[in-house]
Coordinates of all heavy atoms in Angstrom, one line a residue:
Y32 N 84.8 111.6 -30.3 CA 84.8 112.0 -31.7 C 83.4 111.6 -32.2 O 82.8 110.5 -32.0 CB 85.8 111.1 -32.6 CG 87.2 111.3 -32.2 CD1 87.9 110.4 -31.5 CD2 87.9 112.6 -32.6 CE1 89.3 110.6 -31.2 CE2 89.2 112.8 -32.3 CZ 89.9 111.7 -31.6 OH 91.2 111.9 -31.4
E33 N 82.8 112.5 -32.9 CA 81.6 112.3 -33.6 C 81.9 111.9 -35.0 O 82.5 112.6 -35.8 CB 80.6 113.6 -33.7 CG 80.5 114.3 -32.5 CD 79.7 113.5 -31.3 OE1 78.9 112.7 -31.8 OE2 80.0 113.8 -30.2
S34 N 81.4 110.6 -35.4 CA 81.6 110.3 -36.8 C 80.2 109.8 -37.3 O 79.8 108.7 -37.0 CB 82.7 109.3 -37.0 OG 82.5 108.1 -36.2
V39 N 82.4 108.1 -30.9 CA 83.5 107.3 -30.5 C 84.1 107.9 -29.2 O 84.5 109.0 -29.2 CB 84.6 107.1 -31.6 CG1 85.7 106.2 -31.0 CG2 84.0 106.5 -32.8
E40 N 84.1 107.0 -28.2 CA 84.9 107.5 -27.0 C 86.3 107.0 -27.0 O 86.6 105.8 -26.6 CB 84.1 107.1 -25.7 CG 82.7 107.7 -25.6 CD 82.0 107.4 -24.2 OE1 82.0 106.3 -23.7 OE2 81.5 108.4 -23.7
A41 N 87.2 107.9 -27.3 CA 88.6 107.5 -27.5 C 89.4 107.4 -26.2 O 90.3 106.7 -26.0 CB 89.3 108.3 -28.6
L42 N 89.0 108.4 -25.3 CA 89.6 108.4 -24.0 C 88.4 108.5 -23.0 O 87.5 109.4 -23.1 CB 90.5 109.6 -23.7 CG 91.8 109.7 -24.6 CD1 92.6 110.9 -24.3 CD2 92.7 108.5 -24.4
G59 N 99.4 99.9 -25.5 CA 98.0 99.6 -25.7 C 97.8 99.1 -27.2 O 98.6 99.5 -28.1
P60 N 96.8 98.2 -27.5 CA 96.6 97.8 -28.9 C 96.2 98.9 -29.8 O 95.8 100.0 -29.3 CB 95.5 96.7 -28.7 CG 94.8 97.0 -27.4 CD 95.9 97.7 -26.6
S61 N 96.2 98.6 -31.1 CA 95.8 99.6 -32.1 C 94.3 100.0 -31.8 O 93.5 99.1 -31.4 CB 95.9 99.0 -33.4 OG 95.6 99.9 -34.4
G62 N 94.0 101.3 -31.8 CA 92.6 101.7 -31.6 C 92.3 102.0 -30.2 O 91.2 102.3 -29.9
S63 N 93.2 101.8 -29.2 CA 92.9 102.0 -27.9 C 93.0 103.4 -27.4 O 92.6 103.6 -26.2 CB 94.0 101.1 -27.0 OG 95.2 101.6 -27.3
G64 N 93.4 104.3 -28.2 CA 93.3 105.7 -27.8 C 94.8 106.3 -27.6 O 94.9 107.4 -27.2
K65 N 95.8 105.6 -28.1 CA 97.2 106.0 -27.7 C 97.4 107.4 -28.5 O 98.0 108.4 -27.8 CB 98.2 105.0 -28.2 CG 98.1 103.7 -27.3 CD 99.3 102.7 -27.7 CE 99.4 102.4 -29.2 NZ 98.2 101.7 -29.7
S66 N 97.2 107.4 -29.8 CA 97.5 108.7 -30.5 C 96.7 109.8 -29.9 O 97.2 110.9 -29.8 CB 97.0 108.5 -32.0 OG 97.8 107.5 -32.6
T67 N 95.4 109.5 -29.6 CA 94.5 110.6 -29.0 C 95.2 111.1 -27.7 O 95.3 112.3 -27.5 CB 93.2 110.0 -28.7 OG1 92.6 109.6 -30.0 CG2 92.3 111.1 -28.2
M68 N 95.6 110.2 -26.9 CA 96.2 110.6 -25.6 C 97.5 111.4 -25.8 O 97.7 112.4 -25.1 CB 96.5 109.4 -24.7 CG 97.0 109.7 -23.3 SD 96.9 108.4 -22.2 CE 98.0 109.1 -20.9
D76 N 95.6 118.6 -29.4 CA 94.1 118.4 -29.3 C 93.6 118.7 -28.0 O 94.5 118.5 -27.0 CB 93.8 116.9 -29.8 CG 92.4 116.9 -30.4 OD1 91.7 117.9 -30.4 OD2 92.1 115.8 -31.0
V217 N 104.7 106.4 -26.3 CA 103.5 105.5 -26.7 C 104.0 104.5 -27.6 O 104.8 104.7 -28.6 CB 102.5 106.4 -27.4 CG1 101.6 105.7 -28.3 CG2 101.7 107.2 -26.5
H219 N 103.9 99.9 -29.1 CA 103.5 98.6 -29.0 C 104.7 97.7 -28.6 O 104.6 96.5 -28.4 CB 103.2 98.0 -30.4 CG 102.0 98.6 -31.2 ND1 102.2 99.6 -32.1 CD2 100.7 98.3 -31.1 CE1 101.0 100.0 -32.6 NE2 100.1 99.2 -31.9
L233 N 96.6 101.3 -21.9 CA 95.5 101.8 -22.4 C 94.7 100.8 -23.2 O 95.1 100.2 -24.1 CB 95.8 103.0 -23.4 CG 94.9 104.1 -23.6 CD1 94.3 104.6 -22.4 CD2 95.5 105.2 -24.5
Ligands
ADP320 P1 95.6 104.3 -31.3 O1 96.6 105.4 -31.5 O2 95.8 103.5 -30.0 O3 95.6 103.4 -32.5 P2 93.6 106.4 -31.7 O4 93.8 107.3 -30.7 O5 94.1 106.7 -33.0 O6 94.1 104.9 -31.1 O7 92.1 106.0 -31.9 C1 91.2 105.6 -30.7 C2 89.8 105.5 -31.2 O8 89.3 106.8 -31.7 C3 89.6 104.6 -32.4 O9 88.4 104.0 -32.4 C4 89.7 105.6 -33.6 O10 89.1 105.1 -34.7 C5 89.0 106.8 -33.0 N1 89.4 108.1 -33.5 C6 90.6 108.6 -33.5 N2 90.7 109.8 -34.1 C7 89.5 110.0 -34.6 C8 88.9 111.1 -35.3 N3 89.6 112.1 -35.6 N4 87.6 111.0 -35.6 C9 86.9 109.9 -35.4 N5 87.4 108.8 -34.7 C10 88.7 108.9 -34.3

Side-chain angles (χ1 to χ4, degrees):
Y32 296 108
E33 310 295 334
S34 56
V39 178
E40 293 188 319
L42 297 177
S61 188
S63 60
K65 298 187 301 300
S66 301
T67 302
M68 184 164 164
D76 204 353
V217 157
H219 299 97
L233 202 50

